[in-house]
Amino acid sequence: YRRQRQMCIRDSCGTSFWRASVHKARTLNQANVSITATRWCNRRCTHCYIDPKELANRSFMSHDTFKAIFPRMRELLALDQGLEEIEWELIGGEITSLPVEYWQENLPYALDQCADFNRELKTPGAINVLSNLIFSDERKRRDYLDLFGKYGQRPEMCLYTCLLYTS
C-alpha cells in the first residue's frame, strides 16, 4: 500500500498543465518539469507529440498559471527530501509564437526561481528553452534574439534548437 499525493496545476478552463504523483514509499533524486506555455506552432513536424489539431490553437498559459508552477515544485521539494536536481523545460508548440512581452516577464522570473532552487539542491538545474527559432517577421526575430541574448550568460539559461533541412 502506497499513500500518494497528487499535485496538479490547471488553467482557468480546467486544463491540466502539470501533474506529479509523489509516493511516500520512495524518493526522487531528479525532477524534469516541462512547462507547455502554448500548443500553437508554426511547423508541422512529423515527430511532434502534439495532436495536429492542437497545433493551430493560439491560446497560451496565463502569467498566473506559469508563475504558480514554481511554488508547487517547492511543495514537492518539501515532500521529498531526496530531490537533488530540477531541470525545467519551456516548450510548446513554439514558445516564440507568444508575444515577446510574455517571455520578457516570465523568463527572468523562471531564471530567478531556478537560481533559488539551485541554492537548495545538490546539482544545479537549468531553464531549458526549446524553440525552432523560425520567426514570422524580422521585428519579432530581433526582439526574441535580444531577449535570449540578454539572459544567455546566466548559468540557468539554456537555449535548444534544431535546424530542419527540407529539399
Side-chain angles (χ1 to χ4, degrees), residues 99-160:
V100 72
E101 294 82 10
Y102 183 90
W103 292 114
Q104 287 170 333
E105 178 178 337
N106 289 317
L107 181 60
Y109 176 82
L111 292 167
D112 290 344
Q113 291 296 309
C114 181
D116 287 346
F117 275 96
N118 287 347
R119 283 189 276 279
E120 300 174 36
L121 297 169
K122 181 179 178 181
T123 306
I127 299 292
N128 300 290
V129 177
L130 286 74
S131 171
N132 63 31
L133 295 178
I134 298 172
F135 300 97
S136 58
D137 62 63
E138 184 57 33
R139 180 173 177 250
K140 191 170 193 176
R141 177 184 175 279
R142 184 184 64 247
D143 290 347
Y144 266 104
L145 293 180
D146 287 348
L147 176 69
F148 295 147
K150 181 177 181 178
Y151 296 105
Q153 297 304 314
R154 290 198 50 176
E156 305 85 20
M157 174 75 180
C158 294
L159 176 62
Y160 291 93

Side-chain angles (χ1 to χ4, degrees), residues 9 61-72 102 105-106 109 113:
I9 294 180
M61 184 183 291
S62 73
H63 294 282
D64 291 340
T65 300
F66 182 90
K67 291 179 178 180
I69 293 167
F70 297 91
R72 296 303 299 261
Y102 183 90
E105 178 178 337
N106 289 317
Y109 176 82
Q113 291 296 309

Side-chain angles (χ1 to χ4, degrees), residues 1 7-8 22 30 36-37 70 73-74 81 92 111 114 116 125 129 139 145-146 148 153 162 166:
Y1 174 82
M7 291 187 287
C8 181
V22 180
Q30 181 186 28
T36 304
F70 297 91
M73 281 305 295
R74 289 221 177 273
Q81 297 297 313
L111 292 167
C114 181
D116 287 346
V129 177
R139 180 173 177 250
L145 293 180
D146 287 348
F148 295 147
Q153 297 304 314
C162 66
T166 57

Side-chain angles (χ1 to χ4, degrees), residues 19-85:
R19 179 182 301 273
S21 296
V22 180
H23 296 276
K24 290 205 174 242
R26 66 175 174 83
T27 59
L28 304 169
N29 68 346
Q30 181 186 28
N32 294 302
V33 180
S34 295
I35 304 172
T36 304
T38 184
R39 296 207 180 272
W40 187 88
C41 190
N42 53 0
R43 304 288 294 175
R44 299 298 181 265
C45 301
T46 57
H47 66 272
C48 186
Y49 66 95
I50 297 173
D51 181 333
K53 292 177 277 195
E54 285 294 310
L55 294 171
N57 181 348
R58 290 190 177 260
S59 65
F60 56 91
M61 184 183 291
S62 73
H63 294 282
D64 291 340
T65 300
F66 182 90
K67 291 179 178 180
I69 293 167
F70 297 91
R72 296 303 299 261
M73 281 305 295
R74 289 221 177 273
E75 292 176 25
L76 177 63
L77 186 59
L79 287 172
D80 193 338
Q81 297 297 313
L83 194 59
E84 298 175 353
E85 176 184 4

